[in-house]
Amino acid sequence: MNPLGIFGGTFDPIHFGHLRTAFELLAALRFDEVRFVPAGNPPHRDTPLADAALRLSLVQAAIADQPGFAVDDREVRRAGPSYAVLTLRELRAEFPARPLCLVLGMDAFLGLPQWHEWRDLLPLAHIVVAHRPGWRAPVEGPLGELLAARRTDRIDDLHEAPAGRIYIHPVTQLEISSTDLRDLLAAGQDPRYLVPEAVRQAIRATGCYTRPSTQR
Ligand code: ATP
């Protein structure tokens, strides 16, 4: 049973950095599927600029033509903060034996100790860390200790157990962030070649990221 990749994020908006990462992991780690899970109410950051329904629809538009990509709207439907641990508990109940791989960029991984019940994540899923520009794996502190105990360089370890290992995978470095995209859109610039064309069109149609009242 090949693993299910779970790619959570605010996706405000989704961009080619997310998509290329998911695409490379899908093939390299032999995932059955990468599920994008947009956060309804992301707990560790400012309120997103786009509402959850729009961010979800942008993800749907972005992945529509890619086999092996899927979107999971449970965090958008669920009330309250979008804690990853709740999502993983639900998925584990649905897939009792299947390997689950929570995909995180290195920046997100470094913030893991601030996550709700973060010590409960690894018993539920593996963690796959996509290396991002400018970030290094921690060697000290709780994450350094966790890596020393749980890190593996064997992809097969992600297939042979349902949860519990950490794997760091270098991905093509695309220095794109949603923050930079929001700034660019607020300045009236064109996001062409940073986001899929369908996402660009949807952003343009809603005007969501350019409305002055919603600029940060
Ligand atoms: P923001 O700038 O608003 O914080 P972001 O671009 O980092 O957004 P998120 O939706 O917060 O996007 O990220 C979702 C996940 O995707 C996180 O695990 C993050 O580390 C990862 N990620 C974001 N951008 C990239 C990128 N360019 N390459 C690889 N991973 C990325």
Side-chain angles (χ1 to χ4, degrees):
M1 227 180 332
N2 286 357
L4 185 63
I6 300 148
F7 196 173
T10 308
F11 303 123
D12 186 25
I14 191 165
H15 54 69
F16 278 135
H18 300 128
L19 293 160
R20 183 69 205 177
T21 295
F23 185 68
E24 292 184 11
L25 292 176
L26 178 70
L29 276 56
R30 306 191 310 276
F31 288 159
D32 242 7
E33 175 180 288
V34 173
R35 267 193 202 199
F36 291 79
V37 189
N41 305 293
H44 305 292
R45 53 183 295 152
D46 295 340
T47 307
L49 209 49
D51 65 31
L54 176 59
R55 290 182 287 107
L56 175 67
S57 74
L58 295 178
V59 174
Q60 282 164 336
I63 68 161
D65 63 354
Q66 178 53 50
F69 280 6
V71 63
D72 186 321
D73 67 356
R74 73 186 63 228
E75 291 190 0
V76 172
R77 285 186 281 109
R78 196 169 62 213
S82 299
Y83 295 128
V85 72
L86 301 181
T87 298
L88 291 183
R89 283 187 190 129
E90 289 178 11
L91 287 168
R92 180 51 74 206
E94 281 170 43
F95 303 101
R98 179 185 287 272
L100 300 177
C101 292
L102 180 67
V103 173
L104 300 173
M106 184 62 84
D107 58 317
F109 178 68
L110 292 178
L112 205 65
Q114 280 78 56
W115 289 26
H116 184 63
E117 297 177 5
W118 74 283
R119 296 262 182 206
D120 289 350
L121 295 170
L122 264 186
L124 292 163
H126 301 296
I127 295 179
V128 169
V129 185
H131 177 71
R132 276 187 88 178
W135 300 90
R136 307 187 81 148
V139 288
E140 293 173 347
L143 288 178
E145 287 164 25
L146 198 68
L147 280 171
R150 302 302 190 98
R151 185 169 175 181
T152 179
D153 291 324
R154 277 184 78 241
I155 291 173
D156 284 351
D157 283 343
L158 306 177
H159 288 243
E160 291 166 7
R165 306 307 297 266
I166 303 174
Y167 181 84
I168 301 180
H169 188 78
V171 292
T172 299
Q173 307 288 287
L174 293 176
E175 189 60 282
I176 307 172
S177 73
S178 300
T179 301
D180 289 347
L181 268 168
R182 291 191 299 273
D183 290 347
L184 178 152
L185 289 160
Q189 293 171 22
D190 188 342
R192 186 187 282 266
Y193 308 130
L194 296 174
V195 300
E197 185 57 22
V199 171
R200 175 173 170 263
Q201 295 294 348
I203 287 173
R204 179 177 287 184
T206 64
C208 160
Y209 292 99
T210 45
R211 259 177 255 137
S213 60
T214 55
Q215 284 175 19
R216 270 187 241 167

